[in-house]
């Protein structure tokens, strides 16, 4: 049985065998003895996106430390409410921070705690992911939407059907979608994407 540690664009943590390009954490969410998740789905406001390999470090999955979570790609992790790690992905984290500053028209770079607090406010409403309506023409590349119970990512004005194994061509055109769409990617991260941040996509997105 696969461990319950794969994250979908809504932020739900699922037990599937598919692997992902990135790891991340929200603190320890599991029982180290049973390797099963507890009821809580976050223990920290800092939800980060990490490399799966960094400086030769080795970890025991679901050990005594934080719960290792895995994402198909960075686009998925951003939709789930995570942001790049300032240790193992410092270049990406600095680019994300700079794009945040540009989008918010700030005089200086935002503090990490400020970004985490804003993302935390946007991504959670009790135990359910916040979803928000957005005009279709306001969606940047890298946004993930939900339509008729299905998740789609937007890339180069085309829709990609999301699943744990990768992306496939969508059976609906972007132009055929309603003018108002349900978006999963938090508003602050949408602004970051609009501000020029380019996330890492799974290779299957190159259709």
């Amino acid at each position: 049985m696969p461990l319950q540690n794969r994250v979908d664009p809504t932020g739900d943590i699922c037990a599937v065998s598919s692997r992902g390009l990135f790891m991340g954490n929200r603190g320890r969410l599991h029982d180290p003895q049973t390797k099963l998740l507890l009821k809580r789905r976050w223990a920290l406001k800092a939800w980060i996106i990490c490399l799966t390999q960094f400086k030769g470090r080795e970890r025991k999955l679901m050990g005594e430390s934080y719960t290792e979570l895995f994402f198909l790609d960075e686009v998925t992790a951003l939709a789930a409410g995570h942001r790049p790690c300032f240790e193992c992905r410092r270049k990406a984290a600095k680019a994300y921070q700079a794009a945040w500053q540009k989008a918010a028209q700030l005089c200086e770079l935002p503090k990490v705690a400020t970004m985490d607090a804003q993302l935390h406010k946007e991504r959670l409403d009790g135990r359910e992911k916040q979803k928000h309506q957005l005009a279709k023409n306001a969606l940047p590349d890298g946004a993930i939407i939900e339509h008729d119970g299905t998740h789609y990512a937007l890339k180069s004005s085309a829709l990609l059907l999301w699943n744990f194994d990768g992306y496939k061509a969508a059976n609906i055109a972007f132009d055929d979608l309603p003018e108002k769409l349900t978006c999963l990617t938090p508003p602050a991260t949408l602004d970051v994407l609009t501000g020029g941040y380019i996330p890492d996509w799974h290779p299957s997105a190159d259709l």
Side-chain angles (χ1 to χ4, degrees):
M1 286 289 292
L3 295 174
Q4 188 180 357
N5 57 12
R6 268 59 176 182
V7 182
D8 73 10
T10 71
D12 286 345
I13 307 172
C14 307
V16 296
S17 58
S18 302
R19 303 302 297 268
L21 296 183
F22 289 96
M23 186 184 78
N25 82 77
R26 308 170 185 175
R28 199 174 91 180
L29 313 177
H30 67 280
D31 179 343
Q33 302 302 316
T34 64
K35 296 187 182 298
L36 298 176
L37 291 193
L38 305 172
K39 289 184 178 180
R40 66 188 183 192
R41 290 297 177 263
W42 59 274
L44 303 170
K45 290 185 178 181
W47 292 21
I48 59 176
I49 310 166
C50 300
L51 299 176
T52 56
Q53 297 182 24
F54 182 63
K55 294 186 176 180
R57 296 179 185 175
E58 295 184 3
R59 297 184 57 84
K60 181 181 178 181
L61 289 181
M62 290 194 171
E64 296 294 335
S65 185
Y66 64 80
T67 302
E68 300 86 354
L69 303 175
F70 295 91
F71 312 95
L72 171 68
D73 59 4
E74 188 174 21
V75 174
T76 304
L78 291 174
H82 291 244
R83 51 92 179 155
C85 173
F86 272 85
E87 182 183 11
C88 65
R89 300 190 65 226
R90 189 163 186 80
K91 183 177 179 180
K94 296 293 287 185
Y96 182 95
Q97 187 182 39
W100 186 302
Q101 178 188 11
K102 177 181 177 181
Q105 298 182 333
L106 302 175
C107 296
E108 57 185 17
L109 291 171
K111 296 183 182 301
V112 176
T114 300
M115 294 191 295
D116 286 339
Q118 182 63 31
L119 288 170
H120 190 70
K121 179 181 178 181
E122 293 180 359
R123 69 189 164 223
L124 289 173
D125 181 9
R127 285 178 293 177
E128 294 188 4
K129 170 70 181 273
Q130 284 198 31
K131 302 174 184 179
H132 51 104
Q133 295 291 308
L134 197 69
K136 182 166 64 176
N137 60 8
L139 284 170
D141 266 17
I144 292 187
I145 64 166
E146 185 177 88
H147 178 67
D148 287 343
T150 303
H151 302 142
Y152 299 95
L154 181 64
K155 186 180 184 188
S156 301
S157 300
L159 288 180
L160 300 176
L161 177 64
W162 183 96
N163 63 59
F164 281 106
D165 294 316
Y167 297 99
K168 297 180 181 178
N171 57 4
I172 183 173
F174 182 69
D175 289 342
D176 293 333
L177 291 174
E179 289 304 314
K180 286 280 189 178
L181 297 172
T182 299
C183 190
L184 298 177
T185 308
T189 294
L190 288 176
D191 289 342
V192 166
L193 293 171
T194 301
Y197 184 74
I198 301 175
D200 286 325
W201 290 81
H202 190 267
S204 60
D206 297 327
L207 299 177

